[in-house]
Amino acid sequence: MKALEGIKILDFTHVQSGPTCTQLLGWFGADVIKVERPGVGDATRKQLIDVPDADSLYFTMLNHNKRSIELNSKNETGKEVLTRLIEECDVLVENFAPGALDRMGFTWERIQEINPKLIMASIKGFGPGKYEDCKVYENVAQCAGGSASTTGFLDGPPLVTGAQIGDSGTGLHLCLGIVTALFQREKTGRGQKVSCAMQDSVLNLARVKLRDQQRLAVGPLKEYSQFGEGVPFGDATPRAGNDSGGGQPGRILKCKGWEQDPNAYTYFIVQAAVWEKVCDVIGKPEWKTREGYAKPPERLDKLNEIFAAVEDWTKTKTKYEVMEICNPLDIPVGPILSMKEISEDEGLFATGTMVKVDHPERGEYLSVGCPIKLSDSEVDVVRSPLLGEHTHEVLSDVLGYSGDDLKRVIDSGAVGEVKA
């Protein structure tokens, strides 16, 4: 039995943030019914197309383990079908523009009348306030949530990260909110609204930078490289390059082959507990006892010199050799892995973190699998649905339409082209 087996999700989401959330719920066993516009579907189906006449990777990699129904919610019969779906489902998830559901005639109050046990989960760009009606995309969320201003090097502009912390990060947060609300419903019998703003989610993931903002009030951030370089701190958390955010000095360093390979680098942390081992490995045993080097606070103004010496050593080793030498010594290091290297990592396929999926239109493709592992709920990654593939199935099996009623709904044009 899957963890969320028996839970029905009405998926009114599109693009990335919402689909990330509902895909996780589907991986955990929920029946996710994705509602799409007839003949059009989720906008990402046809974005960044790489295989003609096939759904894009953008869509397929965000919509595993779902059923698709085409539904015109502006059609009166479509409203009837939507009402029935709300009656039957446990959770409605949406990331529409603010007020979209209200304009359809399905306010929160109306939804509660239809199904008082239903949980309505929403993603918006900003929470209530002066920006709540603004349209937000991934990079906008990273900028508004404090991530971009603290990312990059001190002498350069703010940078966004390649990790989708605004969209997928918010989807992950919302998924937790939904599961929590389902748990509470077991005690109260009531549904509730769950909301997650992209700005809020990014800020939550950037909390160490908010920590540093407060520490600035009592003095410079000594573990930042600029302290050792004598660069004054301003009144806001600065960009810190590749410095470690955890307080232990760390940087990305070149490895053997860096001249040709843009990813021949390693992350290397000079942790106090293994300082003497680091000194031995890089051929600087005298630093273990030398004044100004032996104690962590004394080393903070010498980090450029220390990491230059470490890099002189790492440049003689591949990034994998650095791991093989340092890991047995408990020296924290990590290779900079490219997406190509990750996509060929047999260990990630063995754990289900990476999967190969067959698709009737595009053939086999690679995708991420569920990053969360449950010992009693194995995850099967099922291909994304074709547009409207399950319309007939949902109408008959979930909503109980049959005979003349089923024909009436289909003939009304409320559900697009039905694929029996």
Side-chain angles (χ1 to χ4, degrees), residues 6-12 33 35 71 77-92 106-108 110-119 185 189 394-395 397-401 405 408:
I7 297 295
K8 289 185 175 64
I9 309 293
L10 184 54
D11 183 0
F12 258 116
I33 301 168
V35 179
L71 181 64
T77 306
K79 291 182 185 296
E80 172 198 323
V81 173
L82 179 51
T83 300
R84 291 282 294 110
L85 283 167
I86 291 171
E87 288 175 348
E88 293 295 326
C89 288
D90 299 278
V91 184
L92 185 158
F106 292 91
T107 63
W108 170 236
R110 174 61 183 142
I111 288 171
Q112 283 184 303
E113 289 175 3
I114 298 168
N115 182 357
K117 295 184 69 174
L118 185 122
I119 292 157
R185 191 181 71 175
V394 171
L395 289 175
D397 296 351
V398 178
L399 302 185
Y401 284 105
D405 256 359
R408 174 181 61 82

Side-chain angles (χ1 to χ4, degrees), residues 323-385:
M323 281 195 75
E324 291 165 5
I325 293 168
C326 292
N327 279 349
L329 300 174
D330 293 326
I331 299 172
V333 296
I336 307 304
L337 296 180
S338 69
M339 282 297 163
K340 183 176 186 298
E341 289 169 311
I342 287 172
S343 69
E344 297 170 350
D345 189 325
E346 293 181 2
L348 294 177
F349 284 100
T351 61
T353 299
M354 287 282 297
V355 294
K356 294 178 180 179
V357 184
D358 285 318
H359 191 277
E361 293 178 341
R362 64 177 304 115
E364 185 179 83
Y365 64 93
L366 298 182
S367 186
V368 295
C370 186
I372 303 163
K373 320 298 183 186
L374 301 180
S375 64
D376 282 358
S377 184
E378 187 175 345
V379 171
D380 301 309
V381 177
V382 180
R383 70 160 175 87
S384 60

Side-chain angles (χ1 to χ4, degrees), residues 113-300:
E113 289 175 3
I114 298 168
N115 182 357
K117 295 184 69 174
L118 185 122
I119 292 157
M120 189 173 84
S122 303
I123 287 177
K124 297 293 179 277
F126 294 95
K130 58 183 178 180
Y131 300 123
E132 63 184 297
D133 293 329
C134 294
K135 197 168 188 177
V136 175
Y137 290 93
E138 170 66 43
N139 288 352
V140 174
Q142 289 194 31
C143 293
S147 173
S149 71
T150 58
T151 303
F153 288 91
L154 189 61
D155 58 354
L159 290 176
V160 296
T161 173
Q164 305 290 282
I165 60 175
D167 275 322
S168 288
T170 305
L172 289 164
H173 281 86
L174 189 70
C175 185
L176 173 60
I178 290 169
V179 173
T180 302
L182 285 169
F183 183 78
Q184 187 174 17
R185 191 181 71 175
E186 292 298 305
K187 302 174 184 177
T188 66
R190 298 193 309 273
Q192 62 181 297
K193 286 204 292 185
V194 179
S195 62
C196 205
M198 293 172 71
Q199 181 188 41
D200 300 358
S201 296
V202 171
L203 176 58
N204 186 44
L205 296 174
R207 65 174 64 190
V208 298
K209 298 302 182 179
L210 182 61
R211 172 204 68 190
D212 292 347
Q213 177 64 43
Q214 297 171 87
R215 292 172 58 224
L216 269 175
V218 294
L221 306 172
K222 295 182 178 180
E223 78 282 7
Y224 279 54
S225 296
Q226 74 180 81
F227 172 73
E229 295 165 1
V231 179
F233 285 80
D235 60 359
T237 306
R239 291 183 273 286
N242 289 316
D243 291 348
S244 170
Q248 301 289 345
R251 293 187 191 176
I252 291 178
L253 305 176
K254 297 170 182 173
C255 291
K256 188 176 181 179
W258 67 272
E259 298 93 340
Q260 294 80 36
D261 182 356
N263 293 298
Y265 290 81
T266 189
Y267 201 89
F268 199 107
I269 296 176
V270 182
Q271 196 171 23
V274 293
W275 170 245
E276 294 188 359
K277 294 177 182 178
V278 171
C279 294
D280 288 335
V281 163
I282 67 174
K284 293 286 186 180
E286 67 276 12
W287 280 358
K288 291 189 285 186
T289 55
R290 179 182 293 179
E291 186 178 353
Y293 292 80
K295 298 179 180 179
E298 299 173 338
R299 296 194 288 268
L300 291 175

